[in-house]
Amino acid sequence: MVNDPGSTGLSYDGSRAAALSLRDEVQETLSSAAVLSSSDDEVRIACGDDAAQFGGTRTIVVAADFDRAEWLDQAAASFEQRQGWKIQKKVAADGSSEATTAVSMVSADGYYLRLGEFSTAPQGGPVVVLSASGPCVEAPPE
């Protein structure tokens, strides 16, 4: 969902801070014992003339015995309780399982969270990926 830049009253930095706060809030639902390591990546995405949105991804290597599907279901349930959020769950594309493999959450004010799990990754084990983006706002000077 993309808002008209300037309609939110947020600066790019404010939008970035709010998106990161949402991502951190979701990560806090992971037990510290489950998290082995993490890495972050951030991008500025053009979304119109003089407009941009923040996008940030955190990849978290988790313990092999961590139930990623259950955690995704719990995260989805916590956001289903919030007013103004739409939740969409995904399961295995090949139909091999009904277990949740990803959750997308979109707020009425333009924030987007995507949580996904992968059984193996270049980081060396099972991972969960937390992506967060903010609404389209007036772009700061580069």
Side-chain angles (χ1 to χ4, degrees), residues 33-39 59-64 121-128:
V35 177
L36 302 179
S37 66
S38 68
S39 62
T59 302
I60 303 169
V61 178
V62 295
Q123 290 84 355
V127 299
V128 293

Side-chain angles (χ1 to χ4, degrees), residues 67-88:
D67 190 335
R68 297 176 310 275
E70 180 181 336
W71 174 74
L72 288 167
D73 286 336
Q74 290 171 352
S78 73
F79 274 79
E80 286 172 340
Q81 307 297 319
R82 296 180 185 205
Q83 185 174 0
W85 284 85
K86 293 184 181 179
I87 313 304
Q88 181 179 16

Side-chain angles (χ1 to χ4, degrees), residues 6-86:
S7 69
T8 63
L10 279 177
S11 67
Y12 179 83
D13 289 340
S15 172
R16 176 184 175 274
L20 290 175
S21 178
L22 286 165
R23 186 182 72 188
D24 290 346
E25 179 184 339
V26 171
Q27 181 176 349
E28 288 173 6
T29 66
L30 290 167
S31 72
S32 59
V35 177
L36 302 179
S37 66
S38 68
S39 62
D40 292 341
D41 186 35
E42 295 184 5
V43 296
R44 180 172 133 166
I45 305 161
C47 55
D49 294 338
D50 299 323
Q53 68 185 125
F54 167 79
T57 302
R58 177 168 291 154
T59 302
I60 303 169
V61 178
V62 295
D65 62 348
F66 178 68
D67 190 335
R68 297 176 310 275
E70 180 181 336
W71 174 74
L72 288 167
D73 286 336
Q74 290 171 352
S78 73
F79 274 79
E80 286 172 340
Q81 307 297 319
R82 296 180 185 205
Q83 185 174 0
W85 284 85
K86 293 184 181 179

Side-chain angles (χ1 to χ4, degrees), residues 94-108:
D94 64 4
S96 62
S97 172
E98 289 298 314
T100 304
T101 59
V103 176
S104 297
M105 301 179 272
V106 181
S107 74

